[in-house]
């Protein structure tokens, strides 16, 4: 008998002896949920997420197929490269399995692993944005950081974000609403530099951001990163009021840390504020919070510190009725000039959101002169 076949028989026997197919974490990693009429069913809708033809409905069949795939000799698209979170789960529960796995090169997974830091894992809530129906109640995403919360030597804008959103296929408002409400779009997870999301939400859409830093263990962070890699290969039907961005941020956290039982405590209809409330209501889950004001919030706050005359001057600068290097601006003290120019710069960015998102300097020359004068 081939050695890997013997190892397979031993591993499968160990898995079923430990009843791993009913383990809560295994069920969460496959996104199985009990349904009213069809019994156990995975919410993942891409066939590539399953190794068994029965895997969508049968946790035991998928477990056996996964063990088999992990132990097969090296080949392109090996299960060790595709499903590292499942491998972590199984090797933690079957101690001698790791030594039996074949050596496999997984450059894409290793690149993703290096790219997504796990020193800090946080849930980010973005305030509502009425111009986009899918964000009318806000939006949530996960942020992965290079440094612990409060480390002032590191900017969170250098972190990475993991976002879940519908892949919209129509611009028709009525059709968009119907498809969004009834699972007509594919929902996919994507990884994006956090500075881009900061610009998009804070500047282009004037949305405030609240960050909730989570107290996950190192093992939980590691399996969360591996699980997000697995989810990047599949999709979920997007349901605007249930299986949305908020829901799947929590489902990913439950897969990594089943002790949290986040999904079980969700209402039938899920909006981002429910996610925030649930996370904050979970004892010991939130280690720290931080806030990043939108350009509109910053503009309103800083304008309130100006005198009536300075506020009028700032508004003239915003509309280019007065130049940033004019005598009227130069007449101010250094401290007051800086405050007026800061207000004008935020006002210019607020009026030119599209330019900010593209990485362009809002209002060109006027903004450049303001920056030079501010410095």
């Amino acid at each position: 008998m081939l050695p890997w076949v013997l190892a397979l028989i031993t591993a499968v026997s160990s898995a079923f002896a430990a009843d791993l197919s009913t383990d809560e974490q295994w069920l969460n990693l496959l996104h199985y949920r009990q349904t009213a009429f069809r019994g156990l069913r995975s919410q993942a809708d891409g066939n590539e997420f399953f190794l068994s033809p029965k895997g969508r409905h049968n946790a035991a069949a998928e477990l056996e197929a996964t063990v088999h795939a992990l132990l097969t000799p090296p080949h392109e698209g090996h299960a060790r490269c595709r499903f590292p979170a499942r491998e972590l789960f199984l090797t933690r529960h079957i101690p001698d399995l790791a030594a039996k796995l074949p050596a496999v090169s997984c450059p894409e997974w290793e690149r993703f692993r290096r790219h997504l830091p796990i020193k800090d894992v946080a849930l980010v809530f973005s305030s509502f944005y009425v111009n986009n129906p899918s964000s009318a109640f806000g939006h949530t995403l996960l942020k992965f950081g290079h440094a612990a919360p409060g480390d002032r030597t590191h900017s969170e804008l250098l972190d990475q974000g993991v976002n879940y959103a519908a892949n919209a296929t129509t611009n028709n408002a009525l059709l968009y609403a119907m498809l969004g409400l009834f699972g007509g779009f594919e929902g996919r997870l994507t990884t994006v530099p956090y500075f881009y999301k900061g610009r998009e939400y804070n500047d282009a859409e004037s949305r405030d951001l609240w960050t909730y830093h989570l107290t996950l263990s190192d093992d939980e962070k590691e399996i969360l990163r591996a699980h997000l890699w697995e989810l990047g290969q599949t999709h979920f039907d997007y349901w605007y009021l249930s299986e949305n961005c908020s829901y799947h941020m929590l489902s990913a956290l439950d897969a990594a840390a089943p002790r949290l039982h986040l999904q079980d405590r969700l209402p039938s209809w899920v909006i981002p504020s429910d996610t925030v409330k649930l996370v904050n209501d979970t004892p010991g889950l939130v280690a720290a919070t931080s806030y990043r004001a939108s350009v509109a919030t910053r503009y309103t706050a800083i304008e309130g510190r100006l005198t009536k005359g300075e506020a009028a001057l700032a508004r003239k600068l915003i509309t280019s009725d007065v130049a940033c290097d004019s005598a009227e601006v130069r007449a101010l003290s250094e401290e007051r000039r800086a405050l007026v120019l800061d207000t004008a710069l935020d006002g210019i960015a607020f009026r030119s959101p599209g330019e900010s998102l593209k990485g362009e300097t809002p209002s060109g020359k006027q903004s450049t002169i303001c920056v030079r004068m501010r410095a």
Side-chain angles (χ1 to χ4, degrees):
M1 183 179 293
L2 293 175
W4 77 269
V5 176
L6 179 60
L8 170 63
I9 294 172
T10 303
V12 170
S13 298
S14 299
F16 282 97
D19 206 18
L20 294 185
S21 66
T22 62
D23 186 275
E24 186 175 11
Q25 187 161 38
W26 177 254
L27 298 177
N28 287 349
L29 284 169
L30 273 295
H31 291 258
Y32 289 119
R33 306 297 289 175
Q34 284 290 343
T35 62
F37 303 106
R38 290 183 289 180
L40 194 69
R41 186 182 189 278
S42 175
Q43 293 175 329
D45 294 296
N47 291 329
E48 62 278 7
F49 193 62
F50 305 99
L51 292 165
S52 165
K54 301 177 182 177
R56 192 183 302 276
H57 301 275
N58 191 320
E62 188 63 21
L63 178 69
E64 183 176 353
T66 299
V67 174
H68 180 279
L70 289 172
L71 286 166
T72 54
H75 61 272
E76 187 176 351
H78 196 276
R80 294 197 68 188
C81 301
R82 293 175 57 200
F83 300 109
R86 298 189 200 182
E87 178 187 328
L88 282 172
F89 169 80
L90 289 167
T91 53
R92 288 173 184 174
H93 286 83
I94 309 174
D96 60 343
L97 177 62
K100 299 174 182 178
L101 297 178
V104 179
S105 175
C106 305
E108 291 184 4
W109 155 236
E110 289 300 331
R111 191 179 304 113
F112 178 87
R113 191 171 181 273
R114 292 191 302 270
H115 182 69
L116 201 67
I118 54 172
K119 188 73 173 179
D120 174 50
V121 177
L123 180 77
V124 179
F125 171 72
S126 172
S127 58
F128 68 89
Y129 182 58
V130 294
N131 287 349
N132 183 350
S134 66
S135 296
F137 296 102
H139 183 67
T140 53
L141 67 150
L142 290 174
K143 182 173 73 68
F144 290 77
H146 294 273
D151 185 346
R152 297 185 180 278
T153 65
H154 170 79
S155 171
E156 70 169 356
L157 293 179
L158 299 177
D159 294 341
Q160 295 293 321
V162 174
N163 190 54
Y164 177 78
N167 182 20
T169 55
T170 179
N171 291 322
N172 182 286
L174 181 59
L175 188 57
Y176 182 96
M178 293 295 293
L179 293 174
L181 287 170
F182 298 105
F185 295 132
E186 287 187 359
R188 290 190 176 270
L189 280 162
T190 55
T191 305
V192 62
Y194 188 64
F195 77 83
Y196 182 83
K197 300 308 290 184
R199 274 197 165 184
E200 177 184 351
Y201 294 145
N202 266 171
D203 299 336
E205 298 178 356
S206 292
R207 300 164 72 177
D208 297 321
L209 297 174
W210 287 265
T211 302
Y212 303 89
H213 304 272
L214 307 178
T215 56
L216 301 179
S217 69
D218 290 343
D219 285 344
E220 289 168 346
K221 292 175 185 176
E222 187 64 51
I223 203 166
L224 174 61
R225 174 167 58 186
H227 183 55
L228 291 172
W229 167 255
E230 296 179 353
L231 293 181
Q233 305 169 63
T234 190
H235 71 273
F236 297 83
D237 290 343
Y238 188 95
W239 297 76
Y240 181 65
L241 295 176
S242 53
E243 286 188 54
N244 51 28
C245 65
S246 295
Y247 180 87
H248 281 298
M249 293 300 98
L250 297 188
S251 71
L253 290 172
D254 269 344
R259 62 183 173 85
L260 298 175
H261 297 285
L262 297 171
Q263 291 169 278
D264 295 338
R265 294 183 284 134
L266 281 171
S268 299
W269 308 113
V270 185
I271 59 176
S273 59
D274 292 328
T275 308
V276 173
K277 186 176 186 300
L278 184 59
V279 165
N280 278 285
D281 286 346
T282 302
L285 180 55
V286 177
T289 61
S290 56
Y291 169 70
R292 179 175 289 273
S294 69
V295 64
T297 300
R298 295 196 306 268
Y299 172 69
T300 302
I302 198 170
E303 188 184 40
R305 297 166 57 190
L306 302 179
T307 66
K308 193 173 183 178
E310 290 168 343
L313 177 58
R315 287 191 286 272
K316 289 180 182 178
L317 290 168
I318 293 168
T319 57
S320 297
D321 291 335
V322 172
C324 289
D325 55 355
S326 66
E328 194 174 353
V329 175
R330 292 180 184 278
L332 298 171
S333 68
E334 185 176 335
E335 179 184 356
R336 303 309 295 180
R337 181 169 67 245
L339 198 58
V340 169
L341 292 174
D342 278 344
T343 305
L345 286 168
D346 281 338
I348 291 170
F350 179 55
R351 289 166 59 92
S352 311
E355 295 173 15
S356 176
L357 183 58
K358 294 175 185 176
E360 301 170 359
T361 302
S363 298
K365 183 178 178 181
Q366 173 77 332
S367 184
T368 302
I369 295 173
C370 282
V371 171
R372 188 172 67 245
M373 288 289 293
R374 171 65 179 84

